[in-house]
Amino acid sequence: DQQVKQNSPSLSVQEGRISILNCDYTNSMFDYFLWYKKYPAEGPTFLISISSIKDKNEDGRFTVFLNKSAKHLSLHIVPSQPGDSAVYFCAASAKSGGSNYKLTFGKGTLLTVNP
Amino acid sequence: EPEVTQTPSHQVTQMGQEVILRCVPISNHLYFYWYRQILGQKVEFLVSFYNNEISEKSEIFDDQFSVERPDGSNFTLKIRSTKLEDSAMYFCASSWGGEQFFGPGTRLTVL
């Protein structure tokens, strides 16, 4: 069941450059999307979210873009810092389907930012 | 900053034994969740809980699993008779209706 796909298992970028993490989804009922960061031996940490009524949401160095027609979203980190090195998970939910809105996760992308 | 806490951080048990994983959600949150992540696999939804009852559960959440909010602060996941395939990281999460905040997880090892 691959409703949320992160096709790149890993990404390596230089400090100061842009990191772009991609995510695709298949379920057209999804209307709320989130990015989480996870360090080893810790739980996922919420980064940024976007509702399907928007196509962009920005928070500091993090920007999420949503292309509903392509069922694609991306997370941009500018500038990338070594402390950003972690696994990034894309998650989606069908918020309009109920208040509990379980999250469906992708497999994650390991981002390594080199000094 | 308020956070979700989970105990224990690591639980080792024998197959067939009962385990209880404990979580303290963020205090003003209304929705509570359990997820799990088997090594090398995705984070998977198990169950959501709202207004003192289960609001949704996945096919993984069979009769061996139960959840409870025994008081105003704790949220527990019980596995009645553990199987080898229950070995995973179990994450508790809570929300007020927006983004979900996750605890650090409990690593369950079933021998």
Side-chain angles (χ1 to χ4, degrees):
Chain A
D1 177 10
Q2 286 252 48
Q3 294 188 68
V4 177
K5 299 181 222 182
Q6 293 177 258
N7 291 321
S8 298
S10 63
L11 174 69
S12 183
V13 299
Q14 285 299 119
E15 181 178 4
R17 306 295 286 267
I18 184 171
S19 296
I20 300 176
L21 298 116
N22 293 302
C23 178
D24 297 291
Y25 63 96
T26 57
N27 188 341
S28 56
M29 298 299 292
F30 288 148
D31 56 7
Y32 186 57
F33 305 89
L34 308 91
W35 285 94
Y36 284 85
K37 177 168 79 170
K38 186 180 180 303
Y39 294 116
E42 293 185 13
T45 300
F46 170 73
L47 273 177
I48 192 168
S49 62
I50 188 166
S51 162
S52 59
I53 60 172
K54 292 186 169 184
D55 54 18
K56 177 182 173 182
N57 189 26
E58 194 170 350
D59 183 2
R61 296 187 297 115
F62 302 93
T63 303
V64 55
F65 295 92
L66 175 62
N67 182 335
K68 278 179 295 186
S69 61
K71 293 193 176 70
H72 176 83
L73 62 154
S74 60
L75 174 68
H76 292 210
I77 306 173
V78 183
S80 303
Q81 300 172 353
D84 295 330
S85 298
V87 177
Y88 288 77
F89 290 100
C90 171
S93 71
K95 208 171 180 185
S96 57
S99 57
N100 54 288
Y101 73 106
K102 68 179 184 185
L103 296 179
T104 300
F105 282 84
K107 285 188 173 181
T109 297
L110 173 63
L111 173 66
T112 304
V113 181
N114 301 303
Chain B
E1 188 174 316
E3 57 183 19
V4 177
T5 59
Q6 290 185 243
T7 54
S9 57
H10 191 187
Q11 173 91 49
V12 181
T13 190
Q14 295 290 325
M15 190 170 58
Q17 295 296 303
E18 174 183 288
V19 294
I20 298 176
L21 310 183
R22 292 183 165 81
C23 169
V24 179
I26 294 172
S27 63
N28 62 343
H29 284 184
L30 302 175
Y31 303 92
F32 312 108
Y33 310 83
W34 285 100
Y35 293 81
R36 80 173 185 190
Q37 185 180 28
I38 294 171
L39 188 64
Q41 298 188 22
K42 291 185 180 187
V43 176
E44 302 174 286
F45 168 79
L46 291 178
V47 65
S48 58
F49 192 86
Y50 170 70
N51 201 24
N52 283 320
E53 59 183 23
I54 291 174
S55 45
E56 187 172 356
K57 57 185 181 180
S58 72
E59 60 276 7
I60 302 167
F61 195 89
D62 62 23
D63 291 345
Q64 294 301 311
F65 290 86
S66 62
V67 289
E68 196 177 33
R69 188 155 162 80
D71 52 41
S73 60
N74 290 286
F75 180 50
T76 61
L77 174 69
K78 183 194 289 188
I79 309 175
R80 266 181 268 283
S81 178
T82 49
K83 305 191 260 297
L84 294 176
E85 54 265 36
D86 293 328
S87 295
M89 282 291 292
Y90 287 80
F91 296 106
C92 173
S94 69
S95 81
W96 49 266
E99 57 270 14
Q100 295 177 27
F101 292 86
F102 284 75
T106 293
R107 177 172 298 285
L108 176 65
T109 302
V110 182
L111 302 176

